[in-house]
Amino acid sequence: MLWFLKRKPFSALQIPLSLFHPLRFFSRLEHENSFHLSNTTNPTFIHPTSIIHPNAVIGEGVSVGPFCSVSSSAKLGDGCQLYPGSHVFGSTELGDNCVLMTGAVVGDDYPGYTIIGNNNTIGYHSVVGVKCQDLKYKPGDECFLEVGDNNDIREHTSVHRSSKSTDKTVIGDSNFIMGSCHIAHDCKIGSNNIFANNTLLAGHVEVEDYVHTAGATVVHQFCRLGSFSFLGGGSVVSQDVPKYMMVAGERAELRGLNIVGLTRRGFSDAEIRSLRAAYRKIFMCVDANAVSFEERLAEVEQHEELGNVPAVDAMLQSIRNSFADNRRGICKFRH
């Protein structure tokens, strides 16, 4: 007989009201037959219809709703909440105080692992840490996903593991990933980013920090989005977006600096004026006998004032990095 058919319910203990939230529609009978794995002031609560492998590691104060499943290699940190019909598969680790909403699936039975940090929310019917959609993936290869802390991953979002054992898909801290977004294999996502609904990132995309994408944005594989950049709604980004810049369009073009974002993030008026001056010299030259793009970059780098502003230096380095070997260059700019 299967192990989960042999398990018998424990006798009921007093249940704190704080644990009722994800289980708010249970009947009195269901509460009486539920499982309590701890006698602490914040006991672990497991609904009797859920399947928890006996080898799974369950922290204190965990709340598991009906019809959930947790695999043999899974680890659930203290205070995690699994809403009805959510599942944890494969070698998966959830940090403390993570929440899986109804229908969420985290992890996969493929080799490798999925690690989710603390205080993360996985939205309704989201799929996080599953096999990638890449024909280069070889069955049996290990694949990995690592997610930091304090991320809000909303409904119907998909986040895939890496496509090879030598790489990882990585998401940092405090990102807000809205509904129906897709983060493909081997992406590297920084921290404090906002991805609006239906933002789609292809494989190997790199996103730095404080990037904001508007709805229905599509990013080509191997592109890099620089810190504090903004991508307009419906943009199709096929080349890098340098730091501090704003792009928009069906084939995204540079549309200036992300002034609103820079102001909100505390850049000083002096820094913004310097960035504007550097941007004009590089991208808005109106001289009929203008020098080449490389010469304009060098001119700003050697400028007596602009060359000594750290924000300007960071923008110039971001542009130069995009023209290194095996990089895609930057989005086109209007003269």
Side-chain angles (χ1 to χ4, degrees), residues 117-130:
N118 300 323
N119 305 306
N120 291 290
T121 299
I122 312 297
Y124 298 95
H125 302 284
S126 290
V127 180
V128 176
V130 298

Side-chain angles (χ1 to χ4, degrees), residues 219-220 223-225 237-241 252 328-332:
V219 183
H220 192 282
C223 287
R224 177 178 292 178
L225 310 182
V237 179
S238 57
Q239 293 177 288
D240 291 0
V241 180
R328 299 184 59 83
I330 64 174
C331 290
K332 300 297 184 290

Side-chain angles (χ1 to χ4, degrees), residues 270-271 274-275 278 298-314 316:
E271 288 177 307
S274 296
L275 287 168
E299 179 184 346
V300 174
E301 288 172 335
Q302 297 167 10
H303 193 277
E304 183 177 354
E305 294 181 4
L306 298 178
N308 295 318
V309 178
V312 174
D313 288 341
L316 294 171

Side-chain angles (χ1 to χ4, degrees), residues 254-274:
L254 297 181
R255 301 297 177 91
L257 295 172
N258 179 22
I259 300 298
V260 173
L262 295 176
T263 302
R264 288 176 176 174
R265 297 266 57 105
F267 282 70
S268 67
D269 291 342
E271 288 177 307
I272 293 175
R273 283 196 300 270
S274 296

Side-chain angles (χ1 to χ4, degrees), residues 45-58:
F45 179 88
I46 299 177
H47 191 272
T49 61
S50 291
I51 300 175
I52 312 298
H53 195 281
N55 292 338
V57 178
I58 310 297

